[in-house]
Amino acid sequence: MRSLLLVCTWMVATSLQAQSQPEVLMPVPKSIEWTNDPFRIPADFSVNIEGPDGLLNGSLGQYTQGFIQRLGSLTGYLKLPTLPTQQNAYAHLTISIELVSSVELGVDESYQLTVEGQGVQLSAATDIGAMRGLETLLQLVAYDAEGPYIRGVRIQDEPRFGWRGLLLDVSRHFMPVHVVKRTLDGMAAVKMNVLHWHLCDDHGWRVELKNSPELHEKASNGEYYTQDQIHEIVAYAAERGIRVMPEVDVPGHASAILTAYPELGSKDTTYALQIYAGIFDPTLDPTNEATYDRLQIVFEEMATLFPDGYFHIGGDENEGKHWEENEEIQAFMKEKGYADQHELQNYFNVRLQEILAPLGKKMMGWDEILDGDLPTSAMIQAWRGWIAEPENLPHARAARKGHQVVVSMGYYIDLLLPAESHYLADPMPVEGALTEEQAENILGGEACMWAELITPASIDSRLWPRTAAVAERLWSPVAVNDVASMYRRLEVMNRHLELLGLQHLSFADQYVRRTAVHAEDQATLRTLLGVCEPMKGYTRNTNGTLYTVNSPYNLFVDACTADASQALAFKQEVEAWIENGDPAAAEAIRSRCITWSNLKTDLEFFQRIPEGKALQTHLKGLVTLSQLAAQLTEPGAAENADLLEKAEAALEVYKTPQARTDLMLVPTVQKLLDHIKS
Amino acid sequence: MRSLLLVCTWMVATSLQAQSQPEVLMPVPKSIEWTNDPFRIPADFSVNIEGPDGLLNGSLGQYTQGFIQRLGSLTGYLKLPTLPTQQNAYAHLTISIELVSSVELGVDESYQLTVEGQGVQLSAATDIGAMRGLETLLQLVAYDAEGPYIRGVRIQDEPRFGWRGLLLDVSRHFMPVHVVKRTLDGMAAVKMNVLHWHLCDDHGWRVELKNSPELHEKASNGEYYTQDQIHEIVAYAAERGIRVMPEVDVPGHASAILTAYPELGSKDTTYALQIYAGIFDPTLDPTNEATYDRLQIVFEEMATLFPDGYFHIGGDENEGKHWEENEEIQAFMKEKGYADQHELQNYFNVRLQEILAPLGKKMMGWDEILDGDLPTSAMIQAWRGWIAEPENLPHARAARKGHQVVVSMGYYIDLLLPAESHYLADPMPVEGALTEEQAENILGGEACMWAELITPASIDSRLWPRTAAVAERLWSPVAVNDVASMYRRLEVMNRHLELLGLQHLSFADQYVRRTAVHAEDQATLRTLLGVCEPMKGYTRNTNGTLYTVNSPYNLFVDACTADASQALAFKQEVEAWIENGDPAAAEAIRSRCITWSNLKTDLEFFQRIPEGKALQTHLKGLVTLSQLAAQLTEPGAAENADLLEKAEAALEVYKTPQARTDLMLVPTVQKLLDHIKS
């Protein structure tokens, strides 16, 4: 009897699960129980916030107003009560919090959410936790013939990591205030909590400083944030529970600083802002006391602009060429008994830490700063995933030594890799690399958005939706790692993010409209955008010199994105077929391929647009490879030597990038071919 | 022999004309001669500016850099020389100007442009004229199998009117800095030169004032421009040859001002910002000296923020209710011998003029201020096109009295009328209304973008492309008035404007993606967007109370635009058929109608989206009316009583707005029916 009951319970649970596990949440909460008791949203939907006095005028009050406005868009209700109340026992949504938290590392972001027919309860320890819960709530809004409702659910949620950041490089290409703000909106929507603001590099200094005006006046090309704008952005972030950590990248990446203060350089020369991509030689002179005097002044003023407890000093990619060439620096090293440049840089880092500590700032740097004998009070950002065997990669090494660590290995979204690759990169070092105690030094991770090849117009299409996959990795339990589910939910988030004003999808629309007028030509471009991706890694920009900071970044490659949708769907079908040999899967592949292989490649408009010939080549590749792929899935393909040879030859031809993009059928058809031949 | 030569010359001219009159320019230049000698754009295209020293660092230098960047996007060239030079006799484009002008009314904006195989010459009296010419030049860029080129042309151009403005209401809905900037980019692209900034109204005060902080602190909902931001925008406009004229709307439209300073009101009460649309009663007390003291302080500070010589004091829609109810004000009027509120308002206006004149500002106001006995030194903005017979409309009356006049009658783009209606509205009063001398008082016109029903996300879709039609009306010769040509060129501009970052087309894309997932559903929404338009005039917002300032403005009606593209094409086909009875035209109508009539109306997704039922009704209307329209164009339709009756009945049903939009087939099918029956 007991076992029968168990079976019944299991059956009910399974059937409920099958029936009502919508894939709409991202990041996935720690614990979730779907129920069949949704809440119907009425046109007078009201929100009450319980907690300390004055909440309505604080961040949570503001955030809730934004929530109500977005709810208006989702429901179509024209006059939802705009303002939450603090004294309404009958509100449809009750938010209760215990305290208003300052925005700092370690804040409690947990929340509990219950949606049932009679109402919605959101409770959290802090206002910031409640904000995270409101984002979950919006993702639960749905619509049916009876109108809008919120899916019935009981959620207990908290983040796996307390540091879930996004690095925004505004030096290579400056990003205006509104772009930073909409990026913060996107971050809040996926529960990220640190904006790592890369404010200077070889291409420009981006902060107005009253006490060092040479920096923004001489080294910014006129594009920098005023102090008012910085206050505005820091406040905007704080209202979303997001910290803002500034980075001043030294001693390398110093072309901008040295454009303003050439006398602080390691070489006796003048300097200018860089316009190409690459690693450049200009480096601060660590043996010159004036260098520290200036950094003292700079850090002091920046400390007042950025209230966060952490301050990033860069420290990466200093190849030390100008140090080697400078006799006085060499003499200094000899005098100090330094064996190599790393020890000299370590001396520099320790000096910076001495400046920062009295300002109440904990120092953070890229993992190169580990190379010296750095005090463990400095925090490490691990990024070089290729320099050692897994257990000795920078994050493991740093954590073992006792440094706090933020991980960016695997999260460089400027590489334009598939979301999958970021999603499956866990911030934790391989098992066995760290003790349990050491593992606690891994505080989280940061997606990195370097800006060599992006502009304010295109940045959204690089950030989103892939950054949401990183956000989930950092928030959700480690066991949440189903790639197929991630991609399905990413599609939902993709549209959800547009409601915030993000332009990640419209950028390609604009390219298509600008490039082609006739419907057939536009459809062809859309087809190509669905199967081509920007060249990956740093191969697009050959030697870093194909583009300058002033190049146009709205050509075909810019309209292309990672995870080209149709190529990804094709890849998934092929992988499914390879795995299970299902004839239905083969049919799906053939059906898709027949559509592709019927495309016209001789469109006249290819003669009338920039890059037309290159696009035409990709289109021919699409037609040819899809014809071959269809044939490869047919019975007997393995014995058809002529077909196999033709496929090899075609892959060889069409693997060549065109218009700085790859035709993404190539790796998939290669996989298919390899499978057939095996 | 002579006549034969003439014929030959005529033939050559005609054939050249037929072959090479591309419809790509907007506004149309004063004089244009197309040649067959295009300039091929090389990858090292260089620009030299001849004129006074220091040009490169001035507005024209900046503008030219922006021109080069846009040229990069159009050509696909990655590394066009970024900076113009001032000493290069061999440049491909030579810009020569005589002087750098301040941005003020009356500046010479003429230019001459010659594009020929050997190079491009742009000459202008002023830097601002050269900017206008650069916009023309960009519109001439084309692409063929040999690569990018500039169409061969000789152009002499100058504006018909010196005042070509856009009023931007930022009170009803605040528009952030970046939205104002991209609006200025759009204005410059269509050669407009005045931003009339409507900075306060009943819904909010939008300027930070140090000496009257109550205004932005108490009466802005937190959304206002800081003084830094105002400087930034005024400078941004000036760099594009655009003046910025502020408006402080008094004595009516004063809810915001009185929220800050209730003691200046005509009624002893407290005030609050309005959230609905309408004309409200709060009015400044013109008999209280404190009113003038405050306005003196406000105007003084604003005069420093806005260098333009004109200052708009509103003056519209004061219905005087609170004046009537106030005994002291009535006593004041009696004492002064004023017969009505107009005389009291005139007293008020004269007092304001006495404040503004010493500040170097010429006063401007809406045409209501004409109602008193106003000195002719005040400038009039004519807007009430319904209050008199044509020869006595406000612009004619004001110009006859000797006032300078700017015309906005016919240019209220918030009414969502077709571009045609604005395009055909000439700023000049009817013939005979003015002497030649009086006619010179008509300085130009302004499109008006009132913001009750728009947000930063939707504003572009309201402004563009229709504002370009107004811009052409104000720039091009009066004889340029071919509506069909205007619509064809507007389509070109529509895409061209996207290159500036304007979001006018992507807003609807976002609506579609957010609302529907499946391709068929999305296609259906796009079809509906192509045939539906927002309810016109002020009918959408019933009594002004259907919406508040906090309503969502991204529903179906917001995604719809004036001049719905497919409905417009259908209308043009029907009008052509009615005019010439051409069987080919009938065939075109039937072909379009058959596609429409085959649409599926029972899509399941209508059950799952806000407004689904309303949209389904429109779709049924589209299917029904297109079936009927196809039949109406067939021979014998006039005798088919059953058909005519069915058509009448269907028109009656489907003329009802749905989701605050009109199905734009209705008026066209009505026209078709009327024609058949006549």
Side-chain angles (χ1 to χ4, degrees):
Chain A
M1 196 55 197
R2 192 171 159 236
S3 65
L4 184 61
L5 187 68
L6 271 177
V7 169
C8 285
T9 310
W10 174 84
M11 281 174 68
V12 170
T14 308
S15 112
L16 256 179
Q17 202 174 19
Q19 169 187 342
S20 56
Q21 284 224 351
E23 290 186 302
V24 295
L25 295 180
M26 194 160 204
V28 166
K30 186 173 186 184
S31 147
I32 179 160
E33 189 187 338
W34 298 98
T35 70
N36 278 328
D37 188 20
F39 175 77
R40 287 277 151 200
I41 308 171
D44 64 347
F45 183 79
S46 55
V47 186
N48 194 58
I49 310 184
E50 293 173 359
D53 284 348
L55 273 181
L56 298 185
N57 295 322
S59 296
L60 183 56
Q62 290 287 325
Y63 206 93
T64 305
Q65 284 186 46
F67 164 85
I68 294 170
Q69 287 235 323
R70 286 154 73 194
L71 191 65
S73 295
L74 293 173
T75 58
Y77 290 148
L78 293 186
K79 288 200 273 191
L80 287 174
T82 316
L83 301 171
T85 57
Q86 211 174 351
Q87 300 287 351
N88 176 5
Y90 303 99
H92 302 105
L93 164 62
T94 301
I95 304 171
S96 31
I97 68 163
E98 287 158 33
L99 60 91
V100 173
S101 171
S102 52
V103 182
E104 61 191 10
L105 181 61
V107 60
D108 187 337
E109 295 175 282
S110 68
Y111 67 91
Q112 294 78 45
L113 179 63
T114 304
V115 179
E116 49 195 7
Q118 65 193 61
V120 184
Q121 303 286 330
L122 170 62
S123 61
T126 69
D127 53 339
I128 297 173
M131 294 176 198
R132 307 299 176 239
L134 285 172
E135 292 300 330
T136 303
L137 193 50
L138 274 179
Q139 295 177 11
L140 291 167
V141 174
Y143 210 97
D144 65 13
E146 290 169 53
Y149 66 96
I150 306 178
R151 298 171 198 271
V153 81
R154 278 185 288 276
I155 288 175
Q156 298 256 2
D157 201 9
E158 66 178 358
R160 178 174 167 217
F161 294 104
W163 190 302
R164 304 178 310 282
L166 172 66
L167 175 144
L168 196 64
D169 170 11
V170 295
S171 176
R172 272 63 173 245
H173 278 96
F174 181 73
M175 300 294 154
V177 171
H178 71 283
V179 174
V180 181
K181 283 187 174 177
R182 74 182 184 219
T183 302
L184 288 163
D185 289 338
M187 289 172 66
V190 298
K191 303 181 171 56
M192 291 182 113
N193 67 0
V194 184
L195 175 69
H196 172 167
W197 212 357
H198 188 79
L199 287 161
C200 80
D201 210 302
D202 294 296
H203 302 71
W205 174 275
R206 306 301 183 193
V207 185
E208 176 196 34
L209 291 181
K210 311 282 189 192
N211 300 329
S212 307
E214 294 79 4
L215 285 169
H216 66 274
E217 286 173 4
K218 297 184 183 171
S220 76
N221 269 347
E223 295 186 309
Y224 61 87
Y225 305 100
T226 65
Q227 297 206 346
D228 273 355
Q229 290 174 330
I230 288 172
H231 291 310
E232 188 181 342
I233 286 173
V234 169
Y236 193 89
E239 285 164 10
R240 283 148 186 79
I242 296 175
R243 300 161 44 210
V244 179
M245 175 182 67
E247 176 177 351
V248 174
D249 199 353
V250 284
H253 290 275
S255 305
I257 297 176
L258 295 176
T259 298
Y261 301 115
E263 66 277 15
L264 306 181
S266 298
K267 185 169 178 176
D268 186 14
T269 181
T270 57
Y271 295 87
L273 299 182
Q274 307 292 342
I275 62 164
Y276 293 106
I279 301 174
F280 303 97
D281 298 327
T283 314
L284 297 186
D285 182 353
T287 71
N288 182 351
E289 284 305 309
T291 298
Y292 303 104
D293 294 344
R294 176 54 58 192
L295 290 177
Q296 173 88 41
I297 294 168
V298 168
F299 288 4
E300 269 176 15
E301 190 167 356
M302 288 189 70
T304 66
L305 293 171
F306 297 95
D308 196 64
Y310 287 77
F311 195 105
H312 203 296
I313 55 91
D316 57 318
E317 297 183 325
N318 170 23
E319 300 189 342
K321 181 153 169 277
H322 284 189
W323 288 358
E324 278 167 29
E325 293 168 4
N326 181 317
E327 284 176 21
E328 285 172 47
I329 292 177
Q330 291 303 313
F332 180 91
M333 287 174 66
K334 202 164 176 183
E335 181 195 323
K336 293 275 189 181
Y338 293 158
D340 58 22
Q341 60 141 340
H342 300 308
E343 294 190 30
L344 178 58
Q345 187 165 346
N346 193 58
Y347 163 81
F348 175 80
N349 294 335
V350 170
R351 294 290 303 269
L352 298 202
Q353 208 169 17
E354 288 166 8
I355 296 173
L356 289 169
L359 298 171
K361 304 297 180 188
K362 186 154 174 161
M363 188 175 90
M364 182 163 169
W366 297 100
D367 60 42
E368 284 93 334
I369 70 172
L370 263 184
D371 289 341
D373 186 24
L374 192 71
T376 57
S377 53
M379 186 160 175
I380 301 299
Q381 182 159 20
W383 73 285
R384 292 178 302 165
W386 65 89
I387 61 166
E389 60 282 29
E391 64 275 17
N392 287 321
L393 282 172
H395 57 336
R397 256 182 72 215
R400 271 200 300 274
K401 284 179 77 172
H403 294 276
Q404 290 185 328
V405 181
V406 160
V407 179
S408 285
M409 297 181 308
Y411 308 135
Y412 269 41
I413 49 181
D414 62 319
L415 300 177
L416 291 165
L417 301 173
E420 173 178 1
S421 79
H422 305 305
Y423 189 63
L424 295 181
D426 201 89
M428 277 295 166
V430 288
E431 224 183 302
L434 300 181
T435 65
E436 218 165 282
E437 196 187 358
Q438 287 165 349
E440 294 199 348
N441 286 329
I442 307 285
L443 299 191
E446 277 186 6
C448 292
M449 181 77 266
W450 301 105
E452 280 87 349
L453 300 179
I454 59 173
T455 68
S458 70
I459 182 174
D460 293 5
S461 73
R462 273 45 191 143
L463 281 171
W464 308 107
R466 288 178 307 143
T467 297
V470 179
E472 173 157 299
R473 175 52 48 238
L474 299 172
W475 177 283
S476 301
V478 61
V480 175
N481 61 8
D482 179 339
V483 170
S485 167
M486 179 276 288
Y487 272 119
R488 285 191 294 269
R489 289 177 294 108
L490 209 55
E491 259 311 291
V492 176
M493 278 309 286
N494 216 13
R495 294 188 299 274
H496 187 78
L497 289 165
E498 281 202 305
L499 192 55
L500 298 168
L502 293 171
Q503 305 292 327
H504 54 305
L505 299 178
S506 33
F507 186 69
D509 296 333
Q510 295 179 342
Y511 167 78
V512 170
R513 273 193 289 265
R514 194 167 57 240
T515 308
V517 175
H518 299 297
E520 184 181 23
D521 299 338
Q522 291 192 343
T524 301
L525 282 180
R526 287 193 187 281
T527 300
L528 285 171
L529 291 172
V531 294
C532 297
E533 294 183 11
M535 293 171 71
K536 306 216 177 327
Y538 296 123
T539 58
R540 170 180 166 188
N541 188 3
T542 313
N543 300 323
T545 57
L546 193 61
Y547 301 82
T548 76
V549 294
N550 298 306
S551 298
Y553 293 95
N554 51 12
L555 302 177
F556 181 70
V557 57
D558 303 292
C560 287
T561 63
D563 289 323
S565 60
Q566 300 311 303
L568 178 61
F570 177 62
K571 171 170 173 274
Q572 289 166 339
E573 284 163 4
V574 167
E575 285 173 349
W577 184 67
I578 289 177
E579 203 178 303
N580 60 27
D582 183 358
E587 202 43 62
I589 294 169
R590 279 195 292 271
S591 157
R592 182 184 296 278
C593 284
I594 285 166
T595 306
W596 276 337
S597 62
N598 285 329
L599 289 168
K600 270 169 60 180
T601 59
D602 58 348
L603 297 174
E604 188 260 341
F605 102 112
F606 284 127
Q607 306 291 319
R608 285 185 288 101
I609 61 167
E611 311 183 293
K613 282 165 203 162
L615 299 189
Q616 193 170 26
T617 302
H618 265 340
L619 188 57
K620 286 178 183 168
L622 176 64
V623 167
T624 304
L625 290 178
S626 57
Q627 277 170 346
L628 291 165
Q631 293 172 34
L632 286 170
T633 61
E634 279 170 7
E639 288 76 44
N640 186 339
D642 181 49
L643 173 63
L644 302 183
E645 198 177 310
K646 269 190 191 156
E648 288 285 10
L651 288 169
E652 189 58 31
V653 170
Y654 294 112
K655 77 179 186 191
T656 306
Q658 301 289 341
R660 314 314 289 166
T661 63
D662 292 313
L663 177 62
M664 294 307 291
L665 256 67
V666 170
T668 301
V669 174
Q670 184 71 59
K671 198 176 280 184
L672 190 60
L673 182 61
D674 294 346
H675 170 70
I676 304 285
K677 287 162 78 175
S678 70
Chain B
M1 194 58 199
R2 188 165 163 241
S3 64
L4 184 61
L5 188 68
L6 271 178
V7 168
C8 285
T9 310
W10 176 83
M11 282 173 68
V12 170
T14 308
S15 111
L16 256 180
Q17 203 175 21
Q19 169 185 345
S20 55
Q21 285 225 353
E23 289 186 301
V24 295
L25 295 180
M26 193 160 206
V28 167
K30 186 172 187 186
S31 145
I32 180 161
E33 187 187 339
W34 298 96
T35 69
N36 277 328
D37 189 20
F39 174 77
R40 287 276 151 201
I41 308 171
D44 63 347
F45 184 80
S46 55
V47 186
N48 195 60
I49 311 184
E50 292 171 1
D53 284 347
L55 272 182
L56 299 186
N57 295 322
S59 295
L60 183 56
Q62 290 285 328
Y63 205 95
T64 305
Q65 284 185 49
F67 164 85
I68 293 171
Q69 287 235 324
R70 286 154 73 194
L71 191 65
S73 295
L74 293 173
T75 58
Y77 290 148
L78 294 186
K79 288 200 274 191
L80 287 174
T82 316
L83 300 171
T85 57
Q86 210 172 351
Q87 299 287 348
N88 176 7
Y90 302 100
H92 301 104
L93 164 60
T94 301
I95 305 172
S96 31
I97 70 163
E98 284 158 36
L99 60 91
V100 173
S101 171
S102 51
V103 182
E104 61 191 10
L105 181 61
V107 59
D108 186 336
E109 295 176 283
S110 69
Y111 67 91
Q112 295 77 45
L113 179 63
T114 304
V115 180
E116 49 195 7
Q118 66 193 59
V120 183
Q121 303 285 332
L122 171 61
S123 60
T126 69
D127 53 340
I128 297 174
M131 294 177 199
R132 308 297 177 239
L134 285 173
E135 292 299 331
T136 303
L137 194 49
L138 274 179
Q139 295 178 11
L140 292 167
V141 174
Y143 209 97
D144 65 12
E146 289 168 56
Y149 65 95
I150 306 177
R151 297 170 200 271
V153 81
R154 277 186 288 275
I155 287 175
Q156 298 256 3
D157 201 8
E158 67 179 358
R160 178 174 166 218
F161 294 103
W163 191 302
R164 304 177 309 280
L166 172 66
L167 175 143
L168 196 64
D169 169 13
V170 295
S171 175
R172 274 61 174 249
H173 278 96
F174 181 72
M175 300 294 154
V177 172
H178 71 282
V179 174
V180 181
K181 283 187 175 178
R182 74 183 184 218
T183 302
L184 288 163
D185 290 338
M187 290 172 66
V190 297
K191 303 183 170 58
M192 292 182 111
N193 67 0
V194 183
L195 175 69
H196 172 167
W197 212 357
H198 188 78
L199 288 160
C200 80
D201 211 301
D202 293 297
H203 302 71
W205 174 276
R206 306 302 182 192
V207 184
E208 176 196 34
L209 290 182
K210 311 281 188 194
N211 299 331
S212 306
E214 295 80 3
L215 285 168
H216 65 275
E217 286 172 4
K218 296 184 183 171
S220 75
N221 269 347
E223 294 186 311
Y224 60 87
Y225 304 99
T226 65
Q227 297 206 347
D228 273 357
Q229 289 174 333
I230 288 172
H231 290 309
E232 188 181 340
I233 286 171
V234 170
Y236 193 89
E239 285 164 10
R240 285 149 185 78
I242 297 175
R243 300 161 45 211
V244 179
M245 175 182 67
E247 176 178 351
V248 174
D249 198 353
V250 284
H253 290 274
S255 305
I257 297 174
L258 295 176
T259 299
Y261 301 115
E263 67 276 15
L264 306 182
S266 299
K267 185 169 179 176
D268 186 13
T269 182
T270 57
Y271 296 86
L273 299 182
Q274 307 292 343
I275 62 164
Y276 294 105
I279 301 174
F280 304 97
D281 297 328
T283 313
L284 296 186
D285 181 353
T287 71
N288 181 350
E289 283 304 309
T291 298
Y292 303 104
D293 294 344
R294 175 54 58 194
L295 290 177
Q296 173 87 41
I297 294 168
V298 167
F299 289 4
E300 270 176 15
E301 190 168 355
M302 288 189 68
T304 66
L305 293 171
F306 297 94
D308 196 63
Y310 287 77
F311 195 107
H312 203 296
I313 55 92
D316 57 320
E317 297 183 323
N318 171 25
E319 301 190 343
K321 181 152 168 279
H322 284 190
W323 289 357
E324 277 167 29
E325 294 169 3
N326 182 317
E327 284 177 21
E328 288 173 45
I329 292 176
Q330 292 302 314
F332 180 91
M333 286 174 66
K334 203 165 176 182
E335 182 193 324
K336 294 275 190 180
Y338 295 157
D340 58 21
Q341 60 143 340
H342 301 308
E343 293 191 30
L344 178 58
Q345 187 164 345
N346 193 58
Y347 164 81
F348 175 80
N349 294 334
V350 170
R351 293 289 304 266
L352 298 202
Q353 206 170 17
E354 286 166 9
I355 297 174
L356 287 169
L359 298 171
K361 304 295 180 190
K362 184 152 177 161
M363 190 176 89
M364 181 163 171
W366 297 100
D367 60 41
E368 283 93 333
I369 68 174
L370 264 184
D371 289 342
D373 187 25
L374 193 71
T376 57
S377 54
M379 185 159 177
I380 301 298
Q381 182 159 19
W383 74 286
R384 293 177 301 164
W386 65 89
I387 60 167
E389 60 282 29
E391 65 276 18
N392 286 324
L393 282 172
H395 58 336
R397 257 182 70 215
R400 272 200 301 271
K401 284 178 76 172
H403 295 275
Q404 290 184 328
V405 181
V406 161
V407 179
S408 285
M409 295 181 309
Y411 308 135
Y412 269 41
I413 50 180
D414 62 320
L415 299 177
L416 291 166
L417 300 173
E420 172 178 1
S421 79
H422 306 305
Y423 190 62
L424 295 181
D426 201 89
M428 276 295 166
V430 287
E431 225 184 299
L434 300 182
T435 65
E436 216 164 288
E437 196 185 359
Q438 287 165 346
E440 294 199 348
N441 285 330
I442 307 284
L443 299 190
E446 279 186 7
C448 292
M449 180 75 265
W450 300 104
E452 279 88 349
L453 300 179
I454 59 173
T455 68
S458 69
I459 182 175
D460 292 6
S461 74
R462 272 48 190 141
L463 280 171
W464 308 105
R466 287 178 306 141
T467 296
V470 179
E472 174 157 299
R473 174 54 46 238
L474 298 172
W475 177 284
S476 301
V478 61
V480 175
N481 61 7
D482 178 339
V483 170
S485 167
M486 179 275 288
Y487 272 120
R488 285 191 293 269
R489 290 177 294 109
L490 209 56
E491 260 310 291
V492 176
M493 277 310 283
N494 216 12
R495 294 189 299 273
H496 188 78
L497 289 165
E498 281 201 303
L499 191 56
L500 298 169
L502 293 172
Q503 306 292 328
H504 55 303
L505 300 177
S506 33
F507 186 69
D509 296 333
Q510 295 179 344
Y511 167 79
V512 170
R513 273 194 289 266
R514 196 168 56 240
T515 308
V517 175
H518 298 298
E520 186 181 21
D521 299 339
Q522 291 192 345
T524 301
L525 282 180
R526 287 194 187 283
T527 299
L528 284 171
L529 290 172
V531 296
C532 297
E533 295 183 10
M535 291 171 70
K536 307 219 176 325
Y538 298 122
T539 58
R540 170 180 167 189
N541 187 4
T542 315
N543 300 323
T545 57
L546 193 61
Y547 300 82
T548 75
V549 294
N550 298 305
S551 298
Y553 294 96
N554 51 13
L555 302 177
F556 181 70
V557 58
D558 304 291
C560 286
T561 63
D563 288 322
S565 60
Q566 301 309 303
L568 178 61
F570 177 62
K571 171 170 173 272
Q572 289 166 340
E573 284 163 3
V574 167
E575 285 175 349
W577 183 67
I578 289 176
E579 202 176 304
N580 60 27
D582 182 0
E587 201 44 59
I589 294 169
R590 280 195 291 269
S591 158
R592 183 184 295 278
C593 285
I594 285 166
T595 306
W596 276 337
S597 63
N598 285 328
L599 289 167
K600 271 169 58 181
T601 58
D602 58 348
L603 296 174
E604 187 260 339
F605 101 112
F606 283 127
Q607 306 291 320
R608 286 184 289 102
I609 62 167
E611 311 182 293
K613 282 163 205 164
L615 299 189
Q616 193 169 25
T617 303
H618 265 340
L619 187 57
K620 286 177 183 166
L622 176 64
V623 167
T624 305
L625 290 178
S626 56
Q627 277 169 348
L628 292 165
Q631 293 171 36
L632 286 171
T633 60
E634 279 170 7
E639 288 75 47
N640 185 340
D642 182 49
L643 172 64
L644 301 182
E645 197 176 310
K646 271 189 190 158
E648 288 285 10
L651 287 169
E652 189 59 28
V653 171
Y654 294 112
K655 77 179 185 193
T656 306
Q658 301 290 340
R660 315 313 290 163
T661 64
D662 291 313
L663 178 62
M664 295 307 291
L665 256 68
V666 171
T668 301
V669 174
Q670 185 71 60
K671 196 175 283 184
L672 190 60
L673 182 62
D674 293 347
H675 169 70
I676 304 286
K677 285 163 79 175
S678 70

